[in-house]
Amino acid sequence: KINVGFNSFDVEFLNILNKGDKIIFGISDPPLKYYFNLIDITKNATKNKRVEKVILGDYHLNNFDPKPISNSLDLIKLYKSKLLNDKDIIIQGPPGTGKTFFISRLILELLNQKKSILISTLANRSLIEIANKYFTISNAKKNVVYKSNLKLEESKEVKDLRPMPKDFMPSESNILLTTFYRMTGLAVEIGKEPVYDYLILEEASQCFLGTIAAAKKLGKIIIMVGDPLQLPPVVNQNNSGQISSDINLMLESFAYYASTINCPKYKFTTTFRLSEKACYQTNTFYNNSLKSKSEVQKNNSILKNLSSIYNNEGGSSLFYYDSKKLNELYEFIFSEIKNLLRLDSAFNIAILSSTKKGVKLLRDNLLHKFNDSQDQIIINTVDGVQGLTVDFCFYFAYSDGNPSFSFKINRFNVASSRAKYCTLILIDEIYKIIPPYKGLVGDFISKCSYSEIAIGTEKINQYKPKGKSESSEK
């Protein structure tokens, strides 16, 4: 006998299985069906005025100047006093500024008003983060939060989350969490009139215009929470500029839409995830507009006990590896993670790559080694974890034939800002000679210390960033 294990089964599917049933595995629907939904919505745009206004809008990129908000709870108060009648609200949330916290408190307020709510994002992980944050509220309403395609692991992580039944209908005081794929499918199926009081698009930078149009078809009031400087929609197409002269409108739909639409716009400016050092680095992308209120600061005992390859003030540092000796790199990552778990066995750690091939290499060579710690180790693409917060992050900048892909500003910004303590950016040593990054990403990297280490020895060469220090910059 051979025992084979699987994960990510839908709870609804598991509930209909009987002993002895035969299961046939095939290719899942997304993302192809998602794109078919977008095509359907776009082709039929003129049949719905709300959809038509989105799809056929005259867009530009030169007018996005959101009002700074230092505390997301202030925006809740502002919503209750001034924003109740606005049909669109746009909120920019840089890394760690409390977007998920804000959404969890906002939906509690909306539930108290007996509103029906749909929350949608590209990745399931972001939906689980929202559910987790909501159910930590002491007076959170139970048995009112549903999720489409609820997985067994998700139901164990968030015990009060309920699977979306097939006959689910929007009703007052309930919430549906669903992906862009399922949300656009619902938009294709319904009539002309919106069926939800509120529709919240989380991680809105990953929306296409068609995604926004689908939200308009479903929701009476649309709240878009995202960041133009984080991940755009996924487009796996080389030389995408040859497809259309308007391709940038598709690749940066949220940025264009947020710049053009006339509605209240706000920006959270306090990061609770990033330490002062990490905030200093990430401010490279935000014109020094962010302030840190992280509990992880310089006098933290964890930071003091870290290996010298990490930044003992928090934030990102670089580690150069030999791409001809990847097995040694895997051993190094494994050893470092075991050391971190000895410091605190409850740490959550992400190992990210910009490419699916990089993720496959990491999973094949590392995941089986962690045994009982597997639930604490996330190995995924950067595109699959936007919204994620972990204690430590390893970013494997694997080129897969396109060195600059790992260092595109939006993707690099997300990868380098997931961790509360430290991020270790793993870079092929050949890039010391010919860097595949430039501009703001190059400026960020210039603020990082870096290490060269002969893996398997105790020799470490440390290099501090050139130019101004954090204190002199201030």
Side-chain angles (χ1 to χ4, degrees):
K1 276 189 175 182
I2 298 176
N3 293 321
V4 181
F6 300 96
N7 60 13
S8 299
F9 273 107
D10 288 358
V11 171
E12 279 189 285
F13 176 69
L14 288 174
N15 288 338
I16 64 171
L17 286 180
N18 296 304
K19 188 174 181 179
D21 284 350
K22 293 181 172 60
I23 303 173
I24 299 174
F25 293 89
I27 299 173
S28 58
D29 286 343
L32 195 58
K33 189 66 166 61
Y34 173 37
Y35 298 134
F36 286 153
N37 292 339
L38 294 174
I39 291 169
D40 187 289
I41 291 164
T42 303
K43 281 186 175 180
N44 294 290
T46 56
K47 297 179 181 179
N48 185 300
K49 291 298 182 183
R50 291 164 62 87
V51 173
E52 182 181 27
K53 191 174 180 180
V54 174
I55 297 298
L56 301 181
D58 183 16
Y59 293 103
H60 57 75
L61 265 181
N62 56 3
N63 192 35
F64 186 55
D65 186 23
K67 181 179 179 180
I69 295 280
S70 61
N71 188 332
S72 61
L73 290 178
D74 291 340
L75 190 53
I76 299 286
K77 296 175 184 176
L78 191 62
Y79 159 78
K80 292 165 68 175
S81 62
K82 294 184 178 181
L83 303 176
L84 285 171
N85 296 320
D86 287 286
K87 299 301 181 184
D88 292 274
I89 301 171
I90 291 176
I91 301 159
Q92 181 184 9
T97 52
K99 297 187 293 294
T100 305
F101 176 88
F102 166 76
I103 291 173
S104 68
R105 269 59 185 175
L106 176 62
I107 60 180
L108 180 62
E109 178 64 33
L110 297 177
L111 289 175
N112 289 335
Q113 298 176 19
K114 300 187 182 303
K115 303 298 185 182
S116 59
I117 309 160
L118 187 151
I119 303 174
S120 189
T121 187
L122 181 67
N124 280 291
R125 186 65 232 172
S126 296
L127 299 174
I128 297 302
E129 295 286 336
I130 292 170
N132 266 322
K133 191 71 72 175
Y134 170 74
F135 284 118
T136 62
I137 304 173
S138 60
N139 58 335
K141 297 178 183 295
K142 307 292 177 68
N143 300 319
V144 298
V145 185
Y146 298 83
K147 183 181 179 297
S148 63
N149 299 98
L150 181 66
K151 304 293 189 293
L152 180 62
E153 295 89 342
E154 295 171 344
S155 68
K156 290 179 178 179
E157 182 177 348
V158 190
K159 292 181 172 55
D160 290 307
L161 198 53
R162 304 175 69 181
M164 172 188 172
K166 290 183 179 179
D167 58 350
F168 181 86
M169 292 294 293
S171 62
E172 66 177 34
S173 298
N174 74 18
I175 304 169
L176 175 62
L177 307 177
T178 189
T179 59
F180 290 165
Y181 157 59
R182 291 299 300 272
M183 186 269 289
T184 54
L186 294 173
V188 168
E189 295 170 3
I190 70 160
K192 290 186 178 181
E193 296 303 316
V195 293
Y196 284 92
D197 296 318
Y198 281 80
L199 196 148
I200 301 173
L201 291 174
E202 158 72 317
E203 305 297 357
S205 66
Q206 294 180 292
C207 289
F208 293 104
L209 273 184
T211 317
I212 301 171
K216 282 285 190 177
K217 192 176 180 185
L218 283 168
K220 297 173 186 175
I221 295 176
I222 310 300
I223 300 176
M224 301 183 69
V225 184
D227 182 5
L229 290 172
Q230 296 192 54
L231 289 171
V234 178
V235 177
N236 293 323
Q237 174 71 46
N238 293 325
N239 302 317
S240 55
Q242 298 177 8
I243 299 174
S244 166
S245 59
D246 295 324
I247 191 65
N248 285 338
L249 177 57
M250 186 171 104
L251 298 179
E252 301 176 67
S253 294
F254 175 61
Y256 276 91
Y257 187 81
S259 295
T260 305
I261 187 173
N262 183 21
C263 72
K265 303 170 188 177
Y266 301 94
K267 175 184 176 181
F268 296 148
T269 58
T270 302
T271 176
F272 300 92
R273 179 193 304 153
L274 303 180
S275 68
E276 289 181 3
K277 181 65 176 182
C279 183
Y280 161 70
Q281 293 170 327
T282 300
N283 257 327
T284 305
F285 307 126
Y286 294 96
N287 197 27
N288 294 320
S289 62
L290 303 182
K291 301 295 182 184
S292 171
K293 281 194 177 180
S294 168
E295 296 179 359
V296 177
Q297 299 299 351
K298 296 176 184 178
N299 62 348
N300 187 283
S301 60
I302 294 294
L303 293 173
K304 290 179 179 178
N305 290 315
L306 290 176
S307 161
S308 58
I309 62 173
Y310 302 99
N311 193 319
N312 63 8
E313 296 178 335
S316 296
S317 52
L318 313 180
F319 179 86
Y320 288 100
Y321 67 88
D322 185 348
S323 59
K324 296 177 182 177
K325 300 177 180 179
L326 286 179
N327 285 334
E328 293 183 351
L329 176 64
Y330 305 140
E331 286 299 322
F332 166 75
I333 296 172
F334 175 70
S335 175
E336 285 302 316
I337 290 177
K338 295 300 286 185
N339 288 337
L340 292 174
L341 292 176
R342 289 189 190 101
L343 284 176
D344 189 332
S345 60
F347 277 152
N348 288 304
I349 299 169
I351 315 172
L352 305 180
S353 177
S354 58
T355 66
K356 290 183 177 179
K357 186 174 180 180
V359 168
K360 185 177 187 306
L361 289 170
L362 292 167
R363 286 177 175 169
D364 289 349
N365 289 280
L366 285 172
L367 195 55
H368 66 280
K369 295 183 177 183
F370 290 110
N371 299 322
D372 295 338
S373 301
Q374 284 191 10
D375 289 343
Q376 298 166 241
I377 311 298
I378 296 171
I379 303 179
N380 208 338
T381 60
V382 179
D383 296 68
V385 298
Q386 183 160 298
L388 178 73
T389 297
V390 293
D391 295 296
F392 289 86
C393 180
F394 294 77
Y395 180 38
F396 180 35
Y398 182 72
S399 68
D400 197 18
N402 184 3
S404 64
F405 185 75
S406 296
F407 300 97
K408 288 186 176 181
I409 182 170
N410 302 68
R411 185 164 289 102
F412 185 86
N413 182 25
V414 171
S416 60
S417 60
R418 297 305 92 200
K420 292 189 289 185
Y421 289 97
C422 295
T423 298
L424 195 60
I425 302 169
L426 309 169
I427 305 180
D428 189 336
E429 63 182 4
I430 195 173
Y431 297 148
K432 289 189 293 183
I433 302 170
I434 308 175
Y437 45 79
K438 56 184 178 180
L440 292 178
V441 174
D443 293 343
F444 181 105
I445 287 177
S446 72
K447 297 176 180 179
C448 299
S449 59
Y450 68 91
S451 302
E452 294 177 310
I453 181 172
I455 301 176
T457 76
E458 296 181 355
K459 183 180 179 182
I460 298 176
N461 297 320
Q462 292 267 292
Y463 300 86
K464 295 296 182 183
K466 297 178 180 179
K468 294 181 180 180
S469 67
E470 180 184 353
S471 57
S472 63
E473 184 75 17
K474 290 178 179 178

